[in-house]
Each structure stands twice: as C-alpha cells, then as structure tokens.
Amino acid sequence: MSANACGAKSARNSGTPAPIATGGVPAGTASHYFADRDDLLDHTARHIHHRLTPDPAVIGALLHAPRDRALVTALMHDLLRRIDADRSGYLAMLELRLEATRRPEVRARLTATVRQELEANIAYHLDEGFPGDRETVVVLYLAMTGLLVEHLTLPDVLGPENLPALVDTLVARTVPAG
Amino acid sequence: MSANACGAKSARNSGTPAPIATGGVPAGTASHYFADRDDLLDHTARHIHHRLTPDPAVIGALLHAPRDRALVTALMHDLLRRIDADRSGYLAMLELRLEATRRPEVRARLTATVRQELEANIAYHLDEGFPGDRETVVVLYLAMTGLLVEHLTLPDVLGPENLPALVDTLVARTVPAG
C-alpha cells in the first residue's frame, strides 16, 4: 500500500464535516443549507484529498527505493505525518461516515469513492511489485484505519510517543519482508 | 431504559455538533448540562460494555478448545456477530469518540475506559496462552477496529458477504498459528 493509498482514501472519504456544516448557522436555516451539502461534500473532499496526497518532493527519494517492506513502512510513517498535519480533515471524514449511516445518498457516494480508492490502492501495491497480495493491502488498510481512528479520537490510548514503533510493528506483522 | 434505547439516545445526543448542542442554551446552564451528560456517558458506556461482553452460553463450548489461531478466529466471528446485533451501540461509541475530540473531560473518561479494555484484552490473550505476544493483540485490535468502522459506516465497501472470509484472513495474517 502506498501512502497515497490510505491518504487518498481518507481524503475522498471526507466531505462535509458536520461541525463546519452547521457551525454558526441558525437552526432555522438547516434545511436550506442541506440542499447545498452535496456540493459542499464534493468541494471538501477535493480539498482534503489534495492535502492528503503525498508531497512528491518529500517522498520522491523514497520511491526510488526497492519495493520492500521497509518502503511500505516509510510510506505509512509519511501517511501518519500527513494525517497528523490534517487532523481536522480526517475527523471530518469520520463525521461524514456517521452521516452516511443516516443519509442513504451520502452513503452511496462515499461507498463508491472509498471502494474505488481501496481498489486503486490494491492495484498500485501489486503493479509496483510491493510484497504481499491483495489481502495484504486490505489487512494493512484496516489496521491503519484502526490506528488512525484511535490516534485521532483518543490519542492517549496508544500514546503518541508509541506510534512510530507501532507503525513499524503493524507493517512487520502484516506485510512480507519482500 | 433498554440498553438499545440508551445507545441510540446517546448516539443522537453525543453526535450533535457542538453548535447545536450549545445553541440556544444560555451559557449559565452549560455546567448543569455537562453534569447530566457525564452521567449519560457513564450509563451508556456501561450498557455498551455489557452488551459487547461475550455471552458465556454462546462461547462456552469454544473456550474448551485449544488456545490456537482457530479459536481466536472463532472469537472474532463471535465479536462481529455481536457488533452486528448492536449496530446502534457501536455507532454511539463512534459518536462519543468524536465528541471526545471536542470535550476534554469526555476524552479523559473514554481514554481511561478504552485503555483499560485494551489492556484487559492483552492480559486475557497472554494469560490464556493464545498464540502471539502483546503486539499481536494490539495489531489484531487495530485491524478489527478498522474492519468494524468500515463495515458499520460504509458496509458495501468491504461487502457484507465477504466479511467472514475477511475475518479469517485478518486473523491468519496477524496471529501465529499457535
């Protein structure tokens, strides 16, 4: 899985953050505001996606390295750094996931986007010759999702100081050495 | 109040974006409101915890089995079944996690609860002689968290029909055979 993998997925997954969508808006305007939510969702998703996309200057050097577990680990550290720098964006994406449980049209749009991103992650991993198979990417994606949800909502459960070693462990336990 | 009603109510309340939660409430009543919310949080957490605890009658037979990967797999399937039967409760916990990012006292309480549960899971795994080490449990916990968040918010990304095989794979990739 590339950093782009999880990052892009997260990005597309976000959208209208509930606190932003309702912040400062009198309750009476909610239904009016709702009509624009899909546009806002797309707009927000594009912005967050852009921010979560790896900076080529940062990871350019990494991508000349062999496609082994060490490179996957480095990309996961880069992903964590970018998520940390975009905490509100990732939390907005979680808000939107919850909104998807209440609004079928949000669910349909997010599902299509997230599934597409996950498939793109898998294809990238396999096409680039990273170690492992399709299931490797899915398990890594799920474990990173769990780590990010835990870290961003209740950071002291895992402990910020333990995260780098935990990312190392997580990749070591799910991705073949290559 | 039934556990289910409690969970659903909590989901609604805790999920209310801050502007709505405080909107229309005179500042002077905030501390009064807070006191009730903490009680509600405790109440909800206890109920959800109780419901997520395995039913001894259901898993009793399993627990006579050898402590190997197959048993871990069976227990993860049981967890998924219970979460599926308590969808609103798990979603309420996600709402509370987001609320924790906005209210330090909620964060402190939830952090203590979740950390305690994670440590209890680790101790149980090691004391019972299940295969793997402390990191095995943490990685399994993170991957299952990711799976549950994905499944409960955007079920068609992974596909409900694929979940049993995915749980098998997830355990196979993170827990030694034992």
Side-chain angles (χ1 to χ4, degrees):
Chain A
M1 175 187 296
S2 71
N4 193 20
C6 272
K9 175 255 151 214
S10 310
R12 302 292 187 83
N13 185 13
S14 19
T16 313
I20 292 173
T22 56
V25 180
T29 65
S31 59
H32 167 70
Y33 196 73
F34 236 58
D36 295 329
R37 283 185 73 97
D38 284 346
D39 287 343
L40 184 57
L41 186 146
D42 283 346
H43 186 76
T44 305
R46 279 197 302 274
H47 272 273
I48 294 175
H49 171 67
H50 184 71
R51 278 182 294 164
L52 290 180
T53 299
D55 180 350
V58 172
I59 65 165
L62 289 179
L63 293 181
H64 292 293
R67 268 50 176 165
D68 56 10
R69 179 199 282 163
L71 180 54
V72 176
T73 305
L75 291 173
M76 291 303 105
H77 282 289
D78 181 66
L79 171 63
L80 182 60
R81 275 191 297 272
R82 283 180 292 111
I83 295 276
D84 261 334
D86 185 27
R87 198 165 171 274
S88 65
Y90 196 88
L91 290 172
M93 158 183 78
L94 277 184
E95 297 268 11
L96 200 62
R97 280 182 175 271
L98 286 169
E99 175 128 344
T101 67
R102 298 183 284 262
R103 296 182 55 211
E105 73 278 15
V106 172
R107 173 179 155 179
R109 294 163 73 102
L110 274 185
T111 295
T113 305
V114 172
R115 191 157 52 189
Q116 188 177 35
E117 288 295 329
L118 179 56
E119 288 300 328
N121 294 341
I122 293 166
Y124 176 78
H125 189 99
L126 300 180
D127 293 348
E128 287 283 324
F130 283 97
D133 53 15
R134 177 184 177 89
E135 282 68 37
T136 301
V137 187
V138 174
V139 172
L140 179 58
Y141 162 77
L142 293 175
M144 284 297 294
T145 297
L147 182 141
L148 292 168
V149 168
E150 194 69 84
H151 171 55
L152 292 181
T153 61
L154 300 174
D156 294 329
V157 168
L158 300 175
E161 73 281 6
N162 301 320
L163 278 194
L166 185 50
V167 169
D168 291 348
T169 299
L170 192 155
V171 177
R173 301 290 177 102
T174 59
V175 179
Chain B
M1 178 191 301
S2 75
N4 192 46
C6 182
K9 180 177 182 190
S10 167
R12 290 293 164 226
N13 285 351
S14 64
T16 303
I20 292 177
T22 56
V25 180
T29 66
S31 57
H32 168 71
Y33 189 72
F34 259 44
D36 290 340
R37 286 184 72 93
D38 284 347
D39 287 344
L40 182 59
L41 181 111
D42 277 350
H43 189 74
T44 304
R46 277 197 303 272
H47 273 273
I48 293 175
H49 169 68
H50 183 71
R51 280 180 295 164
L52 291 180
T53 300
D55 179 349
V58 172
I59 65 166
L62 289 179
L63 294 182
H64 293 292
R67 268 51 176 165
D68 56 11
R69 180 199 281 163
L71 180 54
V72 176
T73 305
L75 291 173
M76 292 304 105
H77 282 288
D78 180 67
L79 172 62
L80 182 60
R81 274 192 296 273
R82 284 181 289 115
I83 295 277
D84 260 334
D86 185 28
R87 199 163 171 275
S88 65
Y90 196 89
L91 290 172
M93 286 299 288
L94 275 185
E95 299 269 12
L96 280 178
R97 282 180 173 272
L98 286 169
E99 175 125 347
T101 67
R102 298 182 284 262
R103 297 181 53 211
E105 74 281 14
V106 172
R107 172 178 156 181
R109 296 162 77 101
L110 270 187
T111 294
T113 303
V114 173
R115 190 157 50 189
Q116 189 177 33
E117 287 294 322
L118 178 56
E119 288 300 330
N121 287 338
I122 292 167
Y124 177 76
H125 190 99
L126 300 181
D127 292 349
E128 288 284 324
F130 283 98
D133 52 16
R134 177 185 179 88
E135 282 68 37
T136 301
V137 187
V138 174
V139 172
L140 179 60
Y141 162 77
L142 293 175
M144 285 297 294
T145 298
L147 181 141
L148 292 168
V149 168
E150 193 70 86
H151 171 56
L152 292 181
T153 61
L154 300 173
D156 294 329
V157 168
L158 299 175
E161 73 281 6
N162 301 320
L163 278 194
L166 186 50
V167 169
D168 292 347
T169 299
L170 191 155
V171 176
R173 300 292 175 102
T174 58
V175 179

